[in-house]
Amino acid sequence: MDLRNKEEFEFFMQRALASFSAGTNADDNYIELYNILLRAFAIADTDFDGQVSIEEFHSMIEAAAALPRKFGYNWWEEDKCVDDAAKSKNCEDFFTRIDDNGDGAVSFDEWLAFALKHYQEKGSELPVAFDASDKEPFIAACKDSTKEGSAAFKSVYWFQWKCFQAADGDRDGMVSGEEFDKMIEMATDNQKRLGLPVPFATPEERAATFEKMDDNGDGAISFDEWLVFSNKEIISKVA
């Protein structure tokens, strides 16, 4: 997966785990995490029987551990594996915990359920997501987001992508008038949750705003148009 730095990994995991916790499992980042775990399972299943045995298990754990470890998170306790004996013991312990029905093999549903729950618990080590912040940190982040290159600037940028991707239901890289409401809802949900003024609250305001943003009148807006608009008309208004 093409994540360039720790910040990007953290944004990725925040979104994936938020989608899992909400029970929607629809966010693109959750789907990517699902696929990472699926690939780890499939690679480990060397005899192609649809299950992972204790003999195959180490390669699955290693494949899953590689991404978080790359950015300094030892979420599969590999930091405790000082030698081969400790590594084997760690694998055996995880295998026993994952093999729910005790049949001596791990199925994909057992692996997926355990890994997601495990990541959910480890998620407490991640920074709080921009759109999950309490009131004062949220306001401070909105203010700091005007400073190009700052942590807040980047977190707001990735948040804008989250809103855009959620709204772009047909995956054509544009947001139509019908999809625009969902984007505005997500972009202002934190203000609503924190008791802050919520802009563009009525259908009429949103329709007028969309029409104004749609400069060329093609019935759709691009991400760069959304980014400029949201920073100016939503984020800066909080600050």
Side-chain angles (χ1 to χ4, degrees), residues 86-232:
K87 187 180 292 185
S88 294
K89 179 66 166 58
N90 187 50
C91 281
E92 287 169 11
D93 289 345
F94 271 117
F95 186 88
T96 302
R97 290 163 63 188
I98 297 172
D99 182 19
D100 251 356
N101 59 10
D103 65 352
V106 170
S107 61
F108 178 63
D109 58 298
E110 286 177 323
W111 164 241
L112 182 66
F114 179 88
L116 290 171
K117 182 67 175 173
H118 184 65
Y119 282 151
Q120 194 175 40
E121 292 166 359
K122 293 296 183 181
S124 61
E125 299 174 19
L126 297 169
V128 177
F130 170 73
D131 53 329
S133 303
D134 290 334
K135 189 171 185 177
E136 294 309 315
F138 177 71
I139 293 172
C142 289
K143 289 179 179 177
D144 289 346
S145 69
T146 58
K147 300 172 185 173
E148 191 169 338
S150 67
F153 176 86
K154 294 174 186 176
S155 67
V156 168
Y157 172 83
W158 290 114
F159 171 68
Q160 307 287 24
W161 268 119
K162 178 180 180 178
C163 298
F164 188 89
Q165 284 180 285
D168 182 18
D170 56 5
R171 296 294 187 267
D172 66 348
M174 303 286 280
V175 168
S176 67
E178 292 75 24
E179 296 169 324
F180 187 66
D181 267 12
K182 184 172 185 178
M183 190 158 65
I184 290 288
E185 283 285 346
M186 182 174 281
T188 59
D189 189 59
N190 217 36
Q191 288 90 314
K192 192 182 300 180
R193 179 177 66 86
L194 298 172
L196 296 166
V198 179
F200 312 106
T202 69
E204 293 77 18
E205 286 179 295
R206 293 174 186 181
T209 300
F210 182 86
E211 188 175 343
K212 184 178 178 182
M213 290 176 68
D214 182 20
D215 273 344
N216 60 5
D218 65 352
I221 57 174
S222 60
F223 175 71
D224 57 307
E225 290 172 323
W226 163 247
L227 183 64
V228 171
F229 165 78
S230 184
N231 282 336
K232 181 180 178 182

